């Protein structure tokens, strides 16, 4: 499946020399003529090969699911879509600062419920047609009407705009002006503080061409558009059609000749995305030079980081690593003894060893639901740390002392569930099992063979401890606080823990509609304090990401929200 596969050299072996595909020898070269016994011998010196600087080859971990941004909800589709579509609002290169993109500016009503966007003029789609407010209208109408039947990602938009009232949600005022209204009745007439952030992600808020949508099947309620799943028509730097997607192998993105940021000779004109689920194949592709850019598990970064010409630099992300408690288990219920048990488990977790060993040092402590790099992170501080003595004291205080056999909880075996495809998380689960044994807590470790099986366990609540992660849907604290600590009634409890805390629900809900940072910070301080006093999960680290690239890729940067943006890289 993967190109450039091969055995990994043993530890300590010299780095494999990159094969740059030197197959042609110069026809004309430096000629050295030696006269030996009257015979002229011509020695041809090989000519230095020229690297194809117009094409970037990216070895990715998995294959995109769809190229329809209004129904895409996975990372690998996101990477492809991020490079073929634009959004109204974007991020400033490798920062999390919101900046104008297809909208040059916007006005907000005093109530915070109405946003008027002024559309950038002179922007063209891949077919040369000009972007107008009608295209923005058609893109969001598609999200609202079609309702992402395959993925459910439409919730990001329809939590604010009413799918049953398109006219009340979207209003084209003129060719380059559109007004968006937070018309969803569930808001109760209150604004949503994160509205702009929901428009800054291509899943689902990418802008596509209205006439193209209509020409290829149009929009139908809860019905996928099979054509749009295989083709793109955006204003981004690259274009893609079905023939560019070789299923199970690779996808090729081609230059959008009309791209509004313009092209220079330095910009890569083509991006080849190779799907390689086997990480050893990706390691070899980096070693051989077949991969310009590649994804590797953190545990395998060291296999390439020492190679001359390979750059392996850690980058901040907003990926939270967590372990949830199932509070439907009577031992961890929301009562006095259950709270003591969950606090004890929070003190038992080996945070430092998990970071240094299971995540190879590519992570940092995560004090609560809001990750570093996101507004309101600083209302939190590191409350829990490993203290096995204190953990044992709290378990004794809860009434669950060791029996004659040395076990607590009457020898009940807590079920630990992890995703076997997430190597770091599976190792963290094994470490957690070992830690609990020191406290006399029996466990059964279930490392599911696939993400699907792991997610089935989550949806069914079939676990006691669930090792998981959370990656942003959009960059706002509410996208973390709600699923992690708010109840199901308020759109939370993603992991089916049964957690329902009045203080957290009250202040978390209030923070959604506050229009000042000071008010939201105050609300999230209350949320954090309540979550530490009555934890429903362990926030054990915030993962870094190490994108691998060759040193001849100049201008490389990585954004924790938008990931790779190939147009800005220069292959020298």
């Amino acid at each position: 499946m993967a190109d450039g596969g091969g055995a990994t050299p043993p530890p300590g072996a010299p780095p494999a020399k990159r094969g740059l595909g030197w197959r042609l020898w110069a026809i004309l070269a430096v000629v050295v003529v030696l006269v030996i016994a009257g015979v002229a011998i011509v020695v041809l010196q090989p000519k230095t090969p020229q690297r194809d600087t117009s094409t970037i080859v990216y070895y990715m971990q998995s294959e995109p699911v769809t190229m329809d941004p209004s129904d895409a909800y996975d990372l690998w589709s996101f990477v492809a879509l991020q490079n073929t579509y634009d959004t109204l609002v974007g991020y400033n290169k490798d920062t999390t600062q919101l900046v104008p993109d297809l909208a040059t500016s916007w006005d907000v009503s005093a109530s915070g419920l109405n946003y008027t966007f002024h559309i950038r003029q002179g922007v063209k789609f891949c077919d040369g047609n000009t972007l107008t407010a009608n295209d923005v209208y058609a893109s969001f109408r598609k999200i609202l009407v079609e309702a992402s039947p395959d993925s459910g990602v439409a919730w990001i938009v329809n939590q604010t705009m009413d799918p049953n009232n398109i006219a009340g949600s979207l209003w084209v005022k003129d060719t380059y002006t559109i007004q968006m209204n937070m018309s969803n009745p569930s808001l109760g007439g209150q604004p949503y503080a994160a509205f702009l952030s929901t428009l800054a992600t291509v899943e689902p808020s990418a802008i596509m061409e209205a006439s193209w949508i209509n020409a290829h099947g149009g929009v139908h309620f809860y019905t996928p558009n099979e054509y749009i799943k295989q083709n793109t028509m955006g204003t981004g730097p690259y274009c893609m059609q079905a023939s560019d997607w070789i299923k199970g192998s690779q996808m090729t993105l081609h230059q959008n000749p009309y791209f509004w940021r313009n092209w220079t000779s330095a910009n890569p004109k083509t991006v080849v995305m190779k799907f390689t689920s086997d990480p050893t194949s990706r390691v070899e592709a980096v070693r051989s030079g077949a991969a310009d850019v590649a994804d590797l598990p953190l545990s395998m970064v060291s296999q390439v980081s020492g190679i001359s010409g390979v750059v392996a630099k850690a980058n901040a992300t907003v990926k939270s690593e967590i372990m949830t408690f199932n509070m439907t288990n009577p031992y961890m219920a929301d009562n006095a003894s259950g709270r003591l048990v969950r606090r004890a488990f929070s003190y038992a977790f080996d945070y430092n060893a998990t970071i240094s060993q299971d995540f190879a040092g590519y992570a940092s402590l995560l004090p609560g639901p809001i990750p570093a790099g996101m507004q309101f992170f600083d209302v939190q501080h590191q409350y829990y740390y490993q203290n096995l003595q204190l953990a044992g004291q709290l378990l004794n205080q809860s009434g669950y002392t060791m029996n004659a056999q040395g076990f607590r909880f009457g020898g009940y075996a807590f079920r630990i569930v992890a995703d076997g495809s997430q190597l770091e998380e599976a190792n963290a689960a094994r470490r957690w099992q070992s830690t609990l044994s020191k406290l006399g807590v029996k466990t059964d470790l279930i490392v599911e063979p696939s993400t699907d099986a792991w997610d089935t366990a989550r949806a069914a609540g079939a676990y006691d401890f669930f090792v998981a992660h959370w990656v942003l849907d959009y960059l706002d604290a509410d996208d973390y606080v709600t699923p992690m600590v708010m109840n199901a009634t308020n759109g939370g409890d993603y992991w089916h823990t049964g957690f329902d805390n009045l203080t957290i629900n009250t202040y978390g809900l209030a923070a959604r509609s506050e229009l000042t940072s000071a008010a939201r910070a105050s609300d999230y301080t209350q949320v954090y304090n309540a979550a530490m006093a009555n934890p429903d999960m362990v926030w054990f680290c915030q993962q870094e990401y190490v994108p691998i690239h060759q040193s001849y890729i100049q201008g490389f940067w990585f954004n924790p929200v938008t990931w790779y943006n190939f147009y800005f890289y220069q292959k020298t």
Side-chain angles (χ1 to χ4, degrees):
M1 182 175 180
D3 292 343
T8 301
K17 183 178 180 180
R18 292 199 204 90
L20 295 177
W22 298 6
R23 296 183 176 89
L24 298 178
W25 294 83
I27 301 302
L28 298 176
V30 176
V31 180
V32 180
V33 181
L34 302 178
V35 180
I36 303 176
V39 178
I41 301 174
V42 179
V43 180
L44 298 181
Q45 178 176 310
K47 180 182 179 181
T48 302
Q50 294 299 307
R51 183 179 293 121
D52 179 7
T53 59
S54 66
T55 300
I56 284 184
V57 180
Y58 164 48
Y59 275 66
M60 61 196 305
Q61 178 178 322
S62 191
E63 184 169 0
V65 174
T66 177
M67 291 303 288
D68 184 347
S70 63
D71 203 4
Y73 209 3
D74 68 288
L75 174 59
W76 311 113
S77 298
F78 180 93
V79 172
L81 293 167
Q82 175 65 26
N83 287 277
T84 51
Y85 284 98
D86 289 320
T87 49
L88 291 176
V89 185
Y91 292 94
N92 186 13
K93 288 207 169 180
D94 59 349
T95 76
T96 55
Q97 175 192 4
L98 281 172
V99 294
D101 199 16
L102 290 184
T104 56
S105 62
W106 49 87
D107 307 311
V108 186
S109 65
S111 66
L113 291 167
N114 316 106
Y115 281 68
T116 301
F117 293 93
H118 305 284
I119 307 304
R120 189 179 300 276
Q121 299 185 28
V123 175
K124 293 186 177 183
F125 291 95
C126 281
D127 61 2
N129 288 334
T130 301
L131 168 74
T132 70
N134 285 324
D135 299 300
V136 178
Y137 173 92
S139 299
F140 282 93
R141 179 182 178 275
K142 183 177 185 296
I143 299 169
L144 294 169
V145 173
E146 203 170 86
S148 56
D150 289 337
S151 70
V153 72
W155 75 268
I156 293 175
V157 168
N158 67 28
Q159 66 178 323
T160 54
M161 290 186 269
D162 186 1
N164 298 312
N165 183 12
I166 304 295
S169 301
L170 301 166
W171 174 23
V172 175
K173 304 180 79 170
D174 61 42
T175 304
Y176 293 106
T177 310
I178 186 170
Q179 180 174 312
M180 295 184 176
N181 305 314
M182 297 187 211
S183 57
N184 196 307
S186 66
L187 293 174
Q190 296 295 311
Y192 185 49
F195 180 67
L196 275 180
S197 293
T198 67
L199 306 183
T201 171
V202 290
E203 292 180 351
S205 299
I207 306 303
M208 59 182 71
E209 185 181 343
S211 60
W212 177 78
I213 296 173
N214 294 331
H216 297 287
V219 176
H220 304 280
F221 173 70
Y222 213 65
T223 303
N225 186 309
E226 296 300 326
Y227 182 86
I228 295 179
K229 288 169 68 172
Q230 310 292 325
N231 299 269
T232 68
M233 187 55 67
T235 60
Y238 300 101
C239 312
M240 173 266 172
Q241 56 188 13
S243 60
D244 298 319
W245 189 350
I246 304 173
K247 296 297 179 67
S249 178
Q250 68 180 45
M251 177 186 291
T252 302
L253 309 181
H254 300 282
Q255 176 189 26
N256 173 3
Y258 308 103
F259 186 44
W260 57 276
R261 292 185 189 273
N262 300 318
W263 292 92
T264 70
S265 59
N267 300 120
K269 308 303 187 294
T270 306
V271 178
V272 179
M273 305 167 63
K274 290 185 175 289
F275 319 138
T276 48
S277 58
D278 176 19
T280 59
S281 295
R282 281 176 270 137
V283 167
E284 185 57 29
V286 173
R287 287 178 176 272
S288 69
D292 298 319
V293 180
D295 300 314
L296 291 181
L298 296 178
S299 59
M300 300 182 77
V301 169
S302 60
Q303 297 186 31
V304 301
S305 58
I307 298 176
S308 176
V310 172
V311 180
K313 178 184 176 184
N315 287 260
T317 74
V318 283
K319 182 180 181 182
S320 299
E321 297 290 343
I322 61 175
M323 182 186 69
T324 66
F325 304 135
N326 190 339
M327 293 169 57
T328 63
N329 179 330
Y331 296 124
M332 297 188 288
D334 194 9
N335 53 37
S337 63
R339 284 191 290 275
L340 287 170
V341 168
R342 286 179 278 112
R343 290 183 62 215
F345 289 150
S346 298
Y347 279 116
F349 199 93
D350 195 344
Y351 300 89
N352 290 333
T354 299
I355 290 171
S356 64
Q357 298 179 42
D358 302 325
F359 286 81
Y362 294 115
S364 57
L365 289 170
L366 176 64
I370 304 174
M374 187 173 290
Q375 192 178 18
F376 312 118
F377 167 78
D378 57 3
V379 306
Q380 309 167 129
H381 63 274
Q382 191 65 35
Y383 186 90
Y384 287 105
Y385 50 90
Q386 188 181 43
N387 186 331
L388 290 178
Q389 181 179 2
L390 178 55
Q393 292 172 358
L394 290 170
L395 289 175
N396 290 338
Q397 186 180 342
S398 72
Y400 298 115
T401 56
M402 291 188 188
N403 61 18
Q405 290 75 41
F407 295 116
R408 300 180 189 272
F409 305 103
Y412 172 80
F414 287 78
R415 298 162 297 169
I416 306 172
V417 176
D419 181 356
S421 70
Q422 299 286 325
L423 301 180
E424 294 83 10
E425 292 174 13
N427 288 334
R430 295 183 181 97
R431 186 176 303 280
W432 177 235
Q433 182 180 42
S434 175
T435 298
L436 288 180
S437 68
K438 300 174 184 177
L439 291 169
V441 179
K442 291 182 68 174
T443 58
D444 288 329
L445 176 59
I446 305 164
V447 179
E448 297 288 4
S450 69
T451 298
D452 287 344
W454 166 81
D455 197 51
T456 297
R458 173 202 63 83
Y463 69 89
D464 295 304
F465 303 114
F466 194 78
V467 180
H469 58 266
W470 186 256
V471 181
L472 82 173
D473 299 301
Y474 49 91
L475 191 71
D476 189 81
D478 180 57
D479 188 47
Y480 286 69
V481 168
T482 290
M484 291 182 179
V485 294
M486 293 184 68
N487 64 8
T489 302
N490 286 303
D493 197 18
Y494 178 78
W495 290 274
H496 300 274
T497 65
F499 189 57
D500 190 354
N501 183 281
L502 178 60
T503 299
I504 290 175
N505 294 331
T506 300
Y507 286 99
L509 190 62
R512 292 178 182 174
S513 59
E514 300 283 9
L515 296 181
T516 68
S517 294
R520 294 191 82 195
S522 177
D523 290 334
Y524 284 131
T525 299
Q526 297 296 327
V527 167
Y528 167 77
N529 290 337
M532 294 302 104
N534 187 11
D536 70 325
M537 63 180 64
V538 170
W539 292 271
F540 60 84
C541 71
Q542 182 171 339
Q543 184 180 324
E544 295 175 333
Y545 189 70
V546 187
I548 308 299
H549 67 92
Q550 307 288 358
S551 60
Y552 54 71
I553 301 293
Q554 301 295 305
F556 183 91
W557 50 268
F558 177 86
N559 186 289
V561 181
T562 63
W563 282 56
Y564 299 108
N565 294 267
F566 296 110
Y567 165 83
F568 294 96
Y569 306 160
Q570 299 176 14
K571 186 174 178 180
T572 60

